[in-house]
Amino acid sequence: MAHALALRSRSDSRSHAAATDVASSCTSIYLAPAMDPTPDIDASLEALDSEIAKIRAEIKNLQNRRHFLSSSLLSSDYVRQQIQRVGPSSSSTGSDGDISPLVASAGKHRDSNRHRVAFSATTFPFKDPSPHSDSPNLLGVRIDVCTRDGKFAKPYYVLLRREKGGDAKRLAVHRHTIPAFIPIEKLEKRYLPRSSRQDVVDGGDNEALKPEKTKKQDLPAFVRHLRRELVAWHLRRDSIRWLRERLGFSGDDDDDDGENASEDRRLASPTADPAQIVSLTPTSLEARYARLEWQDGRVGRFKISNSGLVERAVVIGDHGRDKRTEDAMTGGDRRVENLLDRLKRSSHG
């Protein structure tokens, strides 16, 4: 009997221990935190965004290539004539409706380029949209400038109005899009003088105001001089860009004001530097002066004329001014395009 009770007690203790283990395991299973699927979702979204960005970039590249090929083909007179010749016969298929706008656009673009090459400055009538304008009828002047890469820069406009209170045939500048560093006010005073009056004193008695004899206005000369200034500015910018390309500098210097020369030097690594130049940047948007830095610590600055010549140059090193380098920069043909060649010969000589 005692033996049976002992066996039963052992069985109860084992059952209690087993139940305790099951309960603890269930508790541990219940308390175990569930896996968070958020990282997997974020990774999937990032992968999808990357794929979408790649597809969009590829679509943009294909569109640019399509535009380039279509422009190249439609610029040919033979291809355009063949398309126009077979156009009416293929109108039933619907292809003529897709090609005709391209042909018309290419024709307009070709005519516009020919016009801009042949007539770099044109005039047109313009109506001032302001209802409070005293001179609503304006004369517009458009000036086109071609850059070094064969493209036309953004056109420049000058709006002229009739002079107030004087001769109605005389013109004055009303609005313009010319850069601020180009002296359009001086050109206006020189070529478009306004009529003025002065007091004439004769024997101490003030006579009536008489119109002063003013010079005749010369609008063609005004436009020619203004365009010459714009072309010279673009030539200076293109010449500095050409020198930077020869030195192996990357990036565009159109908006470089000379203050970020060190940053530009870090971004660019010269690939072919015959004169050990580590930096070449314009000092301002006008690109009248350019700043040079050499690897040995010398610093220089030179001035570019409207005709593309190096007018003056100053180079300063640890031992004062470097006259030899200055003479090399301003010597020879003085062309800014050959500046690096002159510096190379000077350094080897």
Side-chain angles (χ1 to χ4, degrees):
M1 185 68 179
H3 181 68
L5 291 175
L7 291 175
R8 184 176 181 181
S9 176
R10 290 178 181 177
S11 177
D12 293 341
S13 62
R14 290 176 181 175
S15 299
H16 180 71
T20 303
D21 294 339
V22 171
S24 62
S25 63
C26 291
T27 303
S28 61
I29 294 174
Y30 176 77
L31 295 178
M35 295 183 64
D36 188 7
T38 303
D40 296 337
I41 296 176
D42 294 340
S44 301
L45 292 177
E46 291 180 359
L48 289 176
D49 292 339
S50 178
E51 291 295 330
I52 292 174
K54 291 180 180 179
I55 293 174
R56 288 178 177 175
E58 186 66 22
I59 291 174
K60 186 176 181 180
N61 292 333
L62 293 175
Q63 289 176 347
N64 293 335
R65 180 169 177 79
R66 175 180 178 273
H67 178 71
F68 173 75
L69 293 177
S70 61
S71 300
S72 301
L73 290 174
L74 294 176
S75 62
S76 173
D77 293 336
Y78 175 78
V79 174
R80 189 174 59 259
Q81 291 174 1
Q82 293 297 320
I83 293 176
Q84 293 176 351
R85 184 175 63 84
V86 302
S89 61
S90 61
S91 59
S92 59
T93 60
S95 61
D96 183 60
D98 298 334
I99 297 177
S100 295
L102 297 177
V103 175
S105 177
K108 291 180 180 179
H109 183 69
R110 183 187 68 257
D111 295 339
S112 176
N113 286 340
R114 290 177 178 175
H115 182 83
R116 297 171 80 176
V117 169
F119 308 99
S120 56
T122 55
T123 59
F124 57 93
F126 184 77
K127 192 79 171 180
D128 195 342
S130 176
H132 307 288
S133 177
D134 297 334
S135 301
N137 298 321
L138 304 175
L139 177 64
V141 179
R142 168 173 167 164
I143 300 176
D144 292 295
V145 179
C146 185
T147 58
R148 182 172 64 93
D149 54 1
K151 298 180 180 180
F152 284 95
K154 188 177 180 180
Y156 300 95
Y157 294 95
V158 179
L159 298 179
L160 304 172
R161 58 174 173 80
R162 298 293 182 182
E163 187 176 335
K164 300 178 182 179
D167 190 357
K169 295 182 180 180
R170 305 187 75 84
L171 299 173
V173 176
H174 181 63
R175 295 285 189 274
H176 65 85
T177 61
I178 306 300
F181 51 81
I182 293 181
I184 188 172
E185 292 81 6
K186 294 183 179 179
L187 298 179
E188 181 184 6
K189 291 180 180 180
R190 179 178 178 181
Y191 296 105
L192 301 177
R194 302 183 183 183
S195 60
S196 59
R197 295 175 178 271
Q198 65 176 0
D199 293 334
V200 179
V201 180
D202 186 10
D205 296 330
N206 292 335
E207 296 183 356
L209 294 178
K210 297 181 180 180
E212 181 189 3
K213 186 177 180 180
T214 57
K215 297 180 180 180
K216 184 179 179 180
Q217 290 188 339
D218 193 349
L219 180 59
F222 170 77
V223 175
R224 283 197 303 268
H225 198 154
L226 182 59
R227 186 180 183 276
R228 192 181 304 121
E229 292 289 338
L230 291 171
V231 171
W233 172 47
H234 281 277
L235 288 178
R236 292 195 301 268
R237 296 172 62 193
D238 290 341
S239 62
I240 294 178
R241 190 181 298 113
W242 160 255
L243 295 177
R244 287 171 55 84
E245 290 176 0
R246 288 195 59 186
L247 291 172
F249 292 125
S250 61
D252 196 0
D253 61 301
D254 290 346
D255 298 330
D256 194 357
D257 56 358
E259 297 179 358
N260 56 348
S262 59
E263 181 180 356
D264 181 67
R265 185 170 61 253
R266 288 194 299 269
L267 294 175
S269 57
T271 57
D273 187 2
Q276 291 81 37
I277 296 175
V278 296
S279 176
L280 193 157
T281 54
T283 59
S284 64
L285 183 61
E286 186 181 3
R288 179 74 66 179
Y289 293 90
R291 187 175 186 273
L292 287 167
E293 290 186 21
W294 280 265
Q295 192 173 5
D296 55 4
R298 289 177 297 165
V299 178
R301 179 176 294 191
F302 62 93
K303 181 181 179 181
I304 307 175
S305 66
N306 287 348
S307 57
L309 301 178
V310 179
E311 289 186 344
R312 294 192 298 269
V314 177
V315 180
I316 300 177
D318 296 336
H319 304 287
R321 294 184 61 175
D322 188 350
K323 292 290 186 178
R324 181 178 179 180
T325 304
E326 293 177 2
D327 294 339
M329 295 174 67
T330 57
D333 58 359
R334 299 174 58 191
R335 296 295 307 176
V336 66
E337 297 87 355
N338 303 325
L339 176 63
L340 298 182
D341 297 333
R342 296 197 298 271
L343 291 176
K344 182 179 180 181
R345 290 194 297 266
S346 175
S347 61
H348 290 171

